[in-house]
């Protein structure tokens, strides 16, 4: 990258260079590669090149893929890099815990790379779904908007119905155990108390008729 500076500025570093955070990429020996990192679909030379490109372009995988010579997709490059990085980090962390490898960079026990698993199939499915969404024509977009509007209308109606139901329940609770509550219990054939109220009212009516 290049930046505009004054003609009198003779410094070789940009003034914000001190804020750069250098990334760390996995480093491994030939023995470690043969023992822990071999993959049937990747040669050591290809793996070395991938790691070097990731360091050069600071894990910007679109740029890495642009410079890559081969038929691997971005997802395949990510999968290989993160698999190597995780395995190397676990090896270094194990040596660190056992007191070996004092010159190796320290790895925290909660470093995300120790548990990272890149799901290539999920990422490919996500990008495929996005491509389908992106390539919709206007009629498909209009139909989807229509469905969304209908869904919002239904949701609004359900909310209003729920509010009305809650209002009726509160009104019933406010009536307490008086006559209105008894009448409601008798009308709807409520529990035992409702049945007794119905019988009591019936007896009174018969008595009145007898009188």
């Amino acid at each position: 990258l290049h930046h505009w500076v004054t003609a009198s500025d003779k410094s070789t570093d940009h003034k914000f260079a001190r804020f750069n955070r250098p990334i760390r990429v996995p480093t491994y020996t030939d023995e470690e590669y043969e023992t822990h990192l071999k993959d049937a679909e990747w040669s050591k030379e290809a793996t070395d090149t991938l790691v070097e490109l990731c360091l050069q372009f600071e894990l910007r995988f679109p740029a890495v893929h642009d410079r890559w010579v081969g038929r691997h997709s971005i997802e395949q490059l990510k999968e290989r890099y993160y698999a190597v990085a995780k395995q190397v980090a676990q090896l270094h962390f194990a040596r660190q815990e056992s007191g070996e490898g004092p010159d190796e960079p320290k790895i925290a026990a909660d470093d995300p790379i120790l548990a990272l698993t890149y799901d290539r199939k999920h990422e490919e499915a996500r990008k495929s779904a996005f491509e389908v969404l992106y390539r919709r024509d206007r009629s498909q977009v209009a139909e989807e908007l229509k469905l969304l509007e209908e869904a919002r209308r239904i949701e609004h109606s359900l909310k209003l119905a729920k509010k009305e139901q809650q209002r009726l329940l509160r009104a019933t609770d406010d009536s307490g155990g008086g006559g209105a509550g008894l009448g409601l219990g008798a009308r709807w054939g409520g529990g035992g108390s409702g049945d007794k109220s119905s019988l009591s009212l019936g007896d009174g009516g018969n008595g009145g008729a007898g009188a």
Side-chain angles (χ1 to χ4, degrees), residues 83-107:
V84 170
K86 177 182 179 180
Q87 185 63 45
V88 169
Q90 290 176 341
L91 290 172
H92 290 185
F93 182 74
R95 287 201 294 267
Q96 173 183 306
E97 291 296 290
S98 63
E100 302 175 10
D103 297 333
E104 296 176 352
K106 297 297 182 182
I107 299 177

